[in-house]
Amino acid sequence: MSDTAKVVVDGVEVEVPRNYSLLQACEQAGAEIPRFCYHERLSIAGNCRMCLVDWEGAPKPIASCAQAVGDMRPNRDGSPPNIFTKSERAIKARNGVMEFLLINHPLDCPICDQGGECDLQDQAMGYGRSGSRYKEPKRAVDDKYIGPLIKTIMTRCIQCTRCVRFVAEIAGTEEMGLVSRGENAEITTYLESALTSEISGNVIDLCPVGALTSKPYAFNARPWELRKTETVDVMDAMGASIRVDARGGAVMRILPRINDEINEEWISDKSRFIWDGLGRQRLDQPYIRENGKLRPASWNEALEVVAEKLKGDSSRIAALAGDLACAESMKATLDLMRSLGVQSTDCRQDGAALGVDADGNRMPRESYLFNATLMGVDEADAILIIGSNPRKEAPVLNARIRGAWLNRDVPVSLIGEAVDLSYPYEHLGDGPRTLSDVMKAGSKTFELLKSAKRPMIIVGQGALARPDGAAVLHEISKLAADVGCFTAPEGENEGWNGFSVLHTAAARVGGLDLGFLPGEGGKDIISILQAARSGEMDTIFCLGVDEIAAANFGSAFVVYVGTHGDAGAHRADVILPGAAYTEKSATYVNTEGRVQRTVRAVGLKGEAREDWAIIRALSDKVGKVLPYDTIDALRTQMSDDNKIFMGLDYAPLPSATSAQPPYGVSGEMRSEVFRSTIDSFYLTNPIARASKVMAECAELAVAKPAVAAE
């Protein structure tokens, strides 16, 4: 039997795969099919009936979303079946469906916060009757509490069940469902408690009516009032494609963009609802600490103070880069520090053993990338997760892994803390001892990975950001080589590299690519902080460093370039206000090595300046003028120094010549268990900690922690 089938849609013959739905075939032929319950990434429900089409010879119109093309009989003469999407019967059927959907729908379009973006509103105009014949009282449904993120007005619900299917299939928490029947049917969370999924906000985009809307955004703006800017998310290291909607100088909401290679069409709740933190606790002018207190200062005065400190002994000066630092600011900082003779520089705020070996030599780029790529999860046929909780560290990636298990029955194993990942997995153990057992040829997991065509090992920062991280990296990369993670599947020319490091910080890969690491004779972050505590470090230049306790800086003079009044600013002796990711065009490199660029959506706050421009101005004051005056000149310099910055928006392909495992340093591993580096998903950076919405979510997460999977 052929893998394809033919169908004639409105006189246009198309040939499509047999597993296509009739709705997909109609769209292939150029016909527009209305729908409410159907969604490309969810299972088929077939319960709204809005997609009815006229199949010639059929006794009644059929739901095109639930009809497989391969199951359709040909005409009596053997010709492909004829489908009409604009016949009188199809139009009348859709009119009737729309009339039924609107029977109990409230007449609140003028005050509904879905107005202007409502599928029901749009399709009622395009496919509904010109008038209503319904005069009876409408039913009402009680609103449900499902957390601080999603506002419910369930009287508007048309029971399309998109939210139910998303929560069950994609999020994997099964906390919503349809209860009762007929006129009494309604969507509920059963116990009316907050949704626990980290990607629950996506039901807002899925809802075709105003039943589920954004609670923080409600009534703040209408969609036609907003400037829409397509940019990149930096709340984790995935680099999801997002759209920032702003009005005036304020970000009003953040939505996902479709990007099948990275985030499909989902984003995490932190990425979506972080926006209120962009306007709170902002640093909008320079400050200098005098007599233990910060006082406002001019830019010239603040830069003069910093310049004076940077003219000291270069061996007693260090520079650190935080989790949200962009590549341009790190490049400018690194160039300035090297011109001053400063070799103690580090971008690994968490102390992860990545980028350099024990002798200070650079390791290959493959040693710290998610080499299989995020989309590679869809091809992997065996997955081992070590020292990571992807549900907290990259929720959208976790949904991909769940999809691999759900749709292809891919076995997943975990070495680390037993946590609820939203899918079943085999918990092998929690530390290095288990890793050593797995590495032995003949072990169940070793043989499972070795027999897989595309084995994938996901390494989290919980396995690397520890004193023995280099030894752990060495053992894991050796395991990856032994099971065939670096070899192409037999009979295929395409390369495969299943060794995948999952980062948690948007700035980390860019910093490693730039070489923001200790120079010759320089100290790493652990040694820098030890020197600071012992009084051997005079000045520390912090580029958005907010995850280090103030006591670790000892008596050193701390310069902080950042956006919020968080931990870094509280400890700083001089504060230089920078730009948030929505306020600048900046380069980031995601966990798979994809170079991405944000786009400015709103202006800078107060007297704040873009980070690279601050460093450039500072270079004037210290007499080491950097050789670029514009962002384009800086990017040209970045590209000249490292060719990977010449391309945008593509993930590097695996290369057999550059992958040189094992990485790290051979040594003894400690007995401590692998723990995720993220304690609270909602409070991982200064923007999140400034957000009232994230604070409420974090409080709920503590009150209702996720239960570990069996």
Side-chain angles (χ1 to χ4, degrees):
M1 181 182 292
S2 172
D3 291 334
T4 62
K6 293 181 179 179
V7 63
V8 179
V9 181
D10 294 333
V12 179
E13 183 177 300
V14 292
E15 185 171 1
V16 297
R18 294 180 63 84
N19 61 353
Y20 262 36
S21 67
L22 183 53
L23 186 150
Q24 291 172 303
C26 289
E27 291 190 331
Q28 192 95 337
E32 182 178 316
I33 306 295
R35 81 293 298 268
F36 290 115
C37 69
Y38 176 80
H39 191 276
E40 292 81 356
R41 302 186 194 275
L42 303 176
S43 62
I44 294 171
N47 54 6
C48 79
R49 320 309 283 183
M50 195 63 210
C51 64
L52 292 175
V53 295
D54 185 7
W55 180 4
E56 187 177 54
K60 60 182 181 180
I62 62 171
S64 59
C65 72
Q67 176 64 55
V69 173
D71 294 336
M72 298 180 69
R73 57 165 175 76
N75 295 326
R76 291 180 180 233
D77 60 1
S79 60
N82 293 318
I83 303 297
F84 302 98
T85 66
K86 300 176 183 175
S87 67
E88 184 178 346
R89 186 161 73 150
I91 292 173
K92 185 177 180 181
R94 290 174 188 160
N95 286 167
V97 170
M98 181 59 71
E99 190 171 18
F100 273 108
L101 288 173
L102 294 176
I103 279 178
N104 283 314
H105 200 76
L107 301 173
D108 59 357
C109 289
I111 56 96
C112 175
D113 40 342
Q114 189 81 353
E117 299 175 308
C118 179
D119 291 347
L120 184 65
Q121 195 176 54
D122 295 341
Q123 293 184 37
M125 297 297 294
Y127 301 98
R129 295 169 56 91
S130 59
S132 173
R133 297 179 289 178
Y134 191 78
K135 301 190 184 304
E136 287 75 16
K138 294 176 180 283
R139 78 161 187 167
V141 180
D142 290 338
D143 297 338
K144 309 294 188 294
Y145 172 78
I146 58 176
L149 304 178
I150 304 167
K151 174 186 174 185
T152 64
I153 301 184
M154 301 312 293
T155 300
R156 299 172 184 163
C157 179
I158 60 171
Q159 287 84 47
C160 72
T161 68
R162 279 186 180 182
C163 56
V164 175
R165 284 174 285 148
F166 173 84
V167 169
E169 297 165 14
I170 308 296
T173 51
E174 299 193 25
E175 295 171 316
M176 297 184 74
L178 182 69
V179 299
S180 299
R181 301 184 64 180
E183 189 181 25
N184 296 320
E186 58 180 279
I187 303 290
T188 179
T189 56
Y190 305 120
L191 300 178
E192 293 199 26
S193 59
L195 299 180
T196 59
S197 171
E198 290 79 9
I199 56 174
S200 64
N202 292 288
V203 300
I204 296 169
D205 300 329
L206 290 172
C207 184
V209 295
L212 303 177
T213 55
S214 171
K215 188 176 284 187
Y217 169 72
F219 304 119
N220 279 343
R222 289 295 193 182
W224 53 84
E225 301 173 341
L226 303 175
R227 296 190 314 277
K228 300 169 178 62
T229 306
E230 295 186 349
T231 183
V232 177
D233 175 55
V234 299
M235 290 299 108
D236 55 34
M238 281 187 62
S241 297
I242 59 172
R243 191 187 85 194
V244 174
D245 289 359
R247 184 177 63 186
V251 174
M252 306 303 290
R253 66 176 178 179
I254 296 174
L255 301 175
R257 289 189 289 126
I258 296 176
N259 188 332
D260 286 330
E261 295 185 10
I262 302 177
N263 59 303
E264 299 178 289
E265 57 186 274
W266 322 122
I267 55 174
S268 72
D269 291 346
K270 184 165 56 178
S271 301
R272 182 185 296 269
F273 295 104
I274 199 77
W275 53 267
D276 71 313
L278 290 165
R280 298 179 187 277
Q281 300 179 17
R282 288 301 300 270
L283 301 172
D284 57 1
Q285 66 182 104
Y287 289 88
I288 296 175
R289 190 177 298 277
E290 287 183 354
N291 301 321
K293 293 184 178 181
L294 291 170
R295 66 166 177 83
S298 67
W299 270 106
N300 188 61
E301 183 184 8
L303 291 175
E304 290 281 3
V305 172
V306 176
E308 194 61 34
K309 292 294 181 179
L310 293 179
K311 291 176 182 177
D313 183 354
S314 61
S315 65
R316 298 174 68 89
I317 300 174
L320 303 175
D323 293 350
L324 300 182
C326 63
E328 288 87 354
S329 62
M330 288 190 284
K331 171 63 175 171
T333 302
L334 189 63
D335 286 351
L336 176 59
M337 293 300 154
R338 292 293 184 263
S339 70
L340 294 169
V342 176
Q343 301 296 326
S344 299
T345 54
D346 208 337
C347 67
R348 302 165 299 180
Q349 189 175 210
D350 56 2
L354 290 169
V356 293
D357 59 21
D359 298 324
N361 300 316
R362 293 289 300 277
M363 288 193 288
R365 197 169 186 237
E366 287 82 0
S367 67
Y368 56 82
L369 293 185
F370 199 95
N371 296 289
T373 73
L374 301 172
M375 196 163 62
V377 173
D378 300 338
E379 300 178 22
D381 45 8
I383 299 174
L384 171 62
I385 302 172
I386 303 176
S388 174
N389 179 354
R391 181 169 172 179
K392 284 186 177 182
E393 296 169 16
V396 178
L397 171 65
N398 193 62
R400 264 197 200 266
I401 299 174
R402 173 177 166 78
W405 164 79
L406 184 66
N407 301 322
R408 299 186 292 112
D409 201 25
V410 174
V412 181
S413 305
L414 172 71
I415 300 177
E417 293 178 291
V419 291
D420 181 6
L421 294 179
S422 77
Y423 45 83
Y425 60 85
E426 183 179 3
H427 186 227
L428 304 174
D430 57 12
R433 181 177 299 175
T434 303
L435 175 59
S436 299
D437 293 340
V438 168
M439 291 181 65
K440 297 173 183 176
S443 73
K444 178 183 174 183
T445 304
F446 183 94
E447 295 303 324
L448 176 66
L449 292 168
K450 192 170 182 61
S451 63
K453 289 182 66 176
R454 288 183 169 85
M456 176 184 286
I457 298 179
I458 298 177
V459 188
Q461 300 307 297
L464 304 175
R466 40 188 280 157
D468 61 344
V472 173
L473 176 62
H474 182 274
E475 296 301 300
I476 296 175
S477 58
K478 185 175 184 299
L479 170 64
D482 291 344
V483 299
C485 280
F486 298 97
T487 57
E490 187 176 349
E492 297 185 21
N493 294 324
E494 292 183 5
W496 172 256
N497 188 340
F499 178 78
S500 303
V501 177
L502 178 58
H503 290 271
T504 57
R508 191 72 75 247
V509 176
L512 294 172
D513 285 340
L514 288 166
F516 203 110
L517 296 162
E520 187 175 352
K523 297 179 173 63
D524 62 10
I525 186 165
I526 296 173
S527 299
I528 289 171
L529 296 180
Q530 286 176 345
R533 290 192 296 270
S534 63
E536 298 171 20
M537 191 64 66
D538 294 335
T539 304
I540 302 180
F541 189 92
C542 294
L543 194 61
V545 177
D546 288 282
E547 313 306 321
I548 297 175
N552 284 316
F553 291 105
S555 59
F557 187 90
V558 177
V559 180
Y560 176 78
V561 180
T563 59
H564 286 72
D566 203 73
H570 290 167
R571 172 59 184 84
D573 295 290
V574 173
I575 295 175
L576 305 176
Y581 71 104
T582 54
E583 300 161 5
K584 60 184 176 182
S585 172
T587 303
Y588 290 87
V589 186
N590 78 344
T591 191
E592 57 185 354
R594 185 187 304 262
V595 180
Q596 301 172 296
R597 191 159 290 159
T598 63
V599 179
R600 176 182 288 190
V602 293
L604 295 162
K605 298 291 185 289
E607 298 179 28
R609 298 291 182 266
E610 291 191 29
D611 305 41
W612 77 269
I614 296 173
I615 312 303
R616 172 62 179 79
L618 181 59
S619 71
D620 273 341
K621 298 292 185 181
V622 296
K624 299 287 185 180
V625 181
L626 295 175
Y628 30 78
D629 297 325
T630 65
I631 189 75
D632 290 334
L634 171 52
R635 287 173 179 160
T636 299
Q637 185 70 50
M638 281 171 50
S639 300
D640 290 344
D641 293 346
N642 192 330
K643 301 302 181 187
I644 69 107
F645 288 101
M646 296 181 70
L648 283 176
D649 294 325
Y650 70 87
L653 295 173
S655 170
T657 57
S658 58
Q660 302 160 4
Y663 310 122
V665 180
S666 178
E668 186 176 347
M669 296 185 292
R670 299 168 62 157
S671 60
E672 289 89 346
V673 302
F674 297 139
R675 301 186 186 279
S676 172
T677 55
I678 293 181
D679 294 324
S680 176
F681 166 72
Y682 300 100
L683 304 176
T684 56
N685 59 61
I687 303 176
R689 290 189 285 270
S691 166
K692 292 177 66 176
V693 177
M694 292 296 100
E696 190 172 351
C697 290
E699 189 176 349
L700 279 172
V702 171
K704 188 180 179 182
V707 180
E710 292 294 332

